[in-house]
Amino acid sequence: MSQSKIHVRYAKALFQLALEKGFLDEVKKDMDFLLKAYSENANFSGLAVNPSIVGKKKHAIFTELFGKFIHPFTFSFLELLLEKKRELFIPGIARHFAHLYRKEKNILKVTLISSDQPEKETIKTILSKLRELLCCEVEFELKTDDSLIGGFQLKTDDILLDASVQGELKKIRNTLIEKTALIKT
């Protein structure tokens, strides 16, 4: 079975059970916490997938690290993953769980990429307009990219709105290339 199928199946199972049991929000927080632990701590992610640490020892490590900090329902899911030797799939499961959660809660993940840090009022205005236009909650992420020169890009799962100077320069370049090609023929 491919890794992506494993991520999807486990995430869907966890999501459905959490929804049925009424623990959806708690499990979402826990999965975010686990994803952060894997992505921000190379020592932990290396330890979690280390094949020489097995069985009760790995369970004891996970219990020590997470047992007191995450919901018992989520921890029992972690125990299942450890038992099935699927702990290396936790980041993918957590990402897919977040996707299912956003879909259930009508939340759109939006990334604003700009050449510099926008002012707080600008961000508030953008968020307000997005909520109004899209009729949903917005999970907002802010990134900076010096190569944009100015302006911004707004990304969702499947849409890119490019209002950057770099984007405009690319449009002008492509138009000039097309016109030059037309003139030559």
Side-chain angles (χ1 to χ4, degrees):
M1 185 182 309
S2 74
Q3 288 185 9
S4 64
K5 285 183 181 178
I6 292 171
H7 298 156
V8 170
R9 285 186 178 175
Y10 276 94
K12 280 183 178 178
L14 177 63
F15 180 83
Q16 287 300 321
L17 277 172
L19 188 61
E20 288 172 18
K21 301 283 186 188
F23 300 136
L24 194 58
D25 292 331
E26 292 90 342
V27 174
K28 168 68 167 80
K29 288 176 192 168
D30 294 341
M31 295 310 282
D32 288 346
F33 176 70
L34 288 168
L35 185 59
K36 188 174 183 180
Y38 268 79
S39 63
E40 291 183 358
N41 191 330
N43 290 333
F44 170 70
S45 60
L47 169 98
V49 298
N50 188 334
S52 65
I53 303 172
V54 293
K56 291 181 181 180
K57 190 172 186 178
K58 193 172 276 191
H59 186 275
I61 292 169
F62 271 73
T63 302
E64 181 68 30
L65 292 174
F66 302 116
K68 297 175 186 171
F69 303 105
I70 63 175
H71 194 276
F73 178 82
T74 310
F75 192 75
S76 67
F77 178 75
L78 275 181
E79 289 177 316
L80 173 72
L81 293 175
L82 289 169
E83 180 184 318
K84 300 288 183 184
K85 299 180 180 10
R86 300 284 202 217
E87 59 273 5
L88 74 114
F89 299 109
I90 291 172
I93 293 167
R95 281 188 290 274
H96 194 73
F97 184 91
H99 168 74
L100 295 170
Y101 181 86
R102 285 191 300 272
K103 190 174 178 181
E104 173 72 21
K105 298 286 187 171
N106 194 27
I107 300 170
L108 182 66
K109 184 176 181 177
V110 175
T111 305
L112 175 69
I113 307 164
S114 68
S115 57
D116 58 353
Q117 183 76 22
E119 294 180 17
K120 288 182 181 179
E121 278 304 310
T122 304
I123 294 171
K124 282 182 183 178
T125 303
I126 291 170
L127 278 171
S128 173
K129 291 291 183 189
L130 285 171
R131 287 184 186 116
E132 183 182 317
L133 289 170
L134 301 172
C135 300
C136 66
E137 278 303 306
V138 176
E139 185 178 296
F140 189 73
E141 182 181 14
L142 181 63
K143 292 183 179 179
T144 57
D145 181 355
D146 294 338
S147 71
L148 295 180
I149 304 170
F152 65 91
Q153 292 178 333
L154 200 57
K155 283 185 179 181
T156 65
D157 292 330
D158 53 357
I159 298 171
L160 170 66
L161 171 66
D162 191 348
S164 66
V165 173
Q166 179 191 41
E168 292 300 316
L169 290 172
K170 281 181 184 177
K171 287 177 192 173
I172 292 168
R173 179 179 178 270
N174 290 339
T175 303
L176 288 173
I177 290 171
E178 288 174 14
K179 299 247 186 212
T180 306
L182 286 173
I183 293 171
K184 289 182 180 179
T185 55

